[in-house]
């Protein structure tokens, strides 16, 4: 039960999920893998994303992780089913389902979804939302540039403000009731997107919903860490060190984080 949770993403985006997990479950340790060498995932094929996701999951399980969080929408959309089948004996959660369940229940009005090209092309959010309620009105758009802006640590700049306006200032997106940030990089733009909508749309914060789902899954499997004596530990791996990853990870988790480089393929 004191074993760590394995969390992965193509880069810095999943740190938003890791931070929410730390906040909600401070007694849980985790190992984070950011596949910076292969980012962005959003423009890659299903086969490639499945291959990278499988290698990372295998690595995290070798580090004795007790559960896996796919902190990437693209991998959740294209690799979750495959990973679940391959690693069927370990609890695993994706970032799409908790958001779909929340939004389908709580939104009255048009739902907007932004994400990577691969996530939007997969249609996963729309499909799952309409499965729950086929009367929902859903619009979606790929906003891949936001991933690069986040990876460069260019949030809260003129560049990010212009990109957000360029993507969202149109008829479809102007009057949404909820906007799903269908990419774990996008909570890094949360306040900027909120100002774009001037508080008129709910910006759905997926990291908190995912942390909450993880907590339930750990309870269901009797996996919560009960050893309160030992402090939780956080380890970070990247497939290629980048300045932006170190700086964003340090912003979230403090200056003395343990960050190692690990090439898997
Ligand atoms: N953060 C990821 C996601 O949620 C991947 C972004 C990318 O690498 O393109 O989709």
């Amino acid at each position: 039960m004191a074993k760590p949770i394995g969390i992965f993403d193509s880069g810095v985006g999943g740190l938003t999920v890791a931070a929410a997990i730390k906040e909600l479950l401070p007694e849980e340790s985790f190992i984070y893998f950011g596949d910076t060498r292969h980012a962005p995932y959003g423009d890659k094929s299903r086969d490639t994303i499945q291959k990278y996701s499988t290698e990372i999951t295998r690595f995290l399980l070798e580090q004795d992780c007790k559960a896996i969080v796919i902190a990437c929408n693209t991998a959740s959309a294209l690799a979750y089913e495959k990973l679940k089948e391959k690693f069927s004996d370990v609890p695993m959660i994706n970032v799409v389902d908790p958001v779909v369940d929340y939004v389908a229940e709580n939104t009255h009005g048009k739902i907007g979804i932004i994400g990577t090209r691969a996530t939007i092309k997969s249609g996963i959010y729309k499909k799952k939302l309409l499965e729950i309620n086929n009367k929902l009105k859903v619009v979606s758009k790929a906003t891949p540039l936001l991933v690069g802006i986040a990876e460069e640590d260019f949030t809260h700049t003129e560049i990010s403000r212009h990109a957000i306006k360029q993507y969202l200032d149109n008829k479809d997106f102007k009057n949404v009731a909820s906007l799903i940030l269908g990419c774990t990089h996008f909570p890094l733009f949360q306040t900027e997107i909120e100002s774009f909508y001037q508080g008129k749309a709910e910006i759905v914060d997926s990291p908190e919903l995912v942390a909450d789902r993880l907590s339930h899954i750990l309870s269901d499997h009797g996996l919560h860490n009960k050893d309160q004596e030992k402090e939780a530990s956080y380890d970070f791996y990247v497939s290629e060190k980048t300045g932006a990853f170190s700086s964003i990870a340090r912003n979230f988790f403090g200056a003395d984080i343990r960050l190692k480089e690990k090439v898997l393929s």
Side-chain angles (χ1 to χ4, degrees):
M1 284 186 258
K3 290 177 183 178
I5 292 154
I7 307 171
F8 76 89
D9 178 44
S10 64
V12 298
L15 292 171
T16 60
V17 176
I21 290 173
K22 181 180 173 215
E23 175 84 24
L24 185 71
L25 303 168
E27 66 288 358
E28 299 295 340
S29 298
F30 65 72
I31 300 178
Y32 183 92
F33 194 98
D35 196 7
T36 41
R37 177 175 289 249
H38 297 130
Y41 276 10
D43 292 322
K44 300 205 164 50
S45 70
R46 179 180 292 270
D47 278 358
T48 304
I49 291 163
Q50 289 184 346
K51 174 175 174 288
Y52 295 156
S53 302
T54 301
E55 285 167 355
I56 297 168
T57 304
R58 191 167 290 132
F59 169 74
L60 291 170
L61 294 177
E62 281 163 13
Q63 311 311 304
D64 219 13
C65 288
K66 63 182 174 186
I68 299 291
V69 178
I70 308 174
C72 172
N73 286 262
T74 309
S76 295
L78 301 176
Y80 172 61
E81 295 299 334
K82 176 94 180 222
L83 294 178
K84 226 173 46 171
E85 197 183 303
K86 226 185 180 95
F87 304 101
S88 53
D89 49 350
V90 59
M92 183 177 295
I93 64 167
N94 66 66
V95 286
V96 173
D97 290 326
V99 173
V100 165
D101 293 344
Y102 173 83
V103 171
E105 194 168 323
N106 294 288
T107 301
H108 307 285
K110 189 162 49 164
I111 299 165
I113 305 159
I114 53 173
T116 64
R117 277 202 187 89
T119 300
I120 298 303
K121 194 165 152 239
S122 77
I124 187 154
Y125 275 101
K126 197 168 175 173
K127 231 181 299 164
K128 287 186 181 238
L129 283 164
L130 295 180
E131 262 166 33
I132 298 177
N133 176 355
N134 64 10
K135 297 212 169 50
L136 292 173
K137 177 137 178 47
V138 181
V139 292
S140 60
K141 191 180 186 77
T143 59
L145 200 55
L146 296 182
V147 176
I149 293 174
E151 286 293 329
E152 287 295 322
D153 206 6
F154 284 166
T155 58
H156 302 92
T157 64
E158 279 304 299
I159 298 173
S160 56
R161 265 189 296 282
H162 280 298
I164 289 165
K165 190 162 184 312
Q166 185 71 28
Y167 282 134
L168 299 179
D169 195 6
N170 55 63
K171 200 161 83 315
D172 271 357
F173 275 82
K174 231 175 175 166
N175 52 353
V176 293
S178 293
L179 181 74
I180 295 179
L181 305 184
C183 172
T184 52
H185 284 65
F186 298 173
L188 296 166
F189 302 93
Q190 178 104 8
T191 52
E192 293 175 271
I193 296 176
E194 268 162 12
S195 341
F196 172 81
Y197 280 108
Q198 297 174 322
K200 289 188 191 109
E202 183 186 12
I203 312 304
V204 181
D205 186 353
S206 50
E208 279 177 20
L209 296 169
V210 174
D212 189 56
R213 178 70 53 101
L214 174 66
S215 177
H216 282 99
I217 296 280
L218 293 179
S219 294
D220 292 351
H221 289 81
L223 285 174
H224 269 298
N225 181 22
K226 303 242 165 55
D227 183 359
Q228 307 284 352
E229 301 286 283
K230 229 173 93 210
E231 247 187 70
S233 67
Y234 308 115
D235 286 279
F236 298 84
Y237 289 87
V238 282
S239 47
E240 192 163 282
K241 278 195 181 165
T242 68
F245 188 96
S246 314
S247 119
I248 296 171
R250 291 196 164 92
N251 267 346
F252 275 121
F253 300 99
D256 52 350
I257 57 162
R258 292 198 293 264
L259 175 61
K260 286 167 246 171
E261 197 169 73
K262 177 82 194 164
V263 179
L264 300 178
S265 66

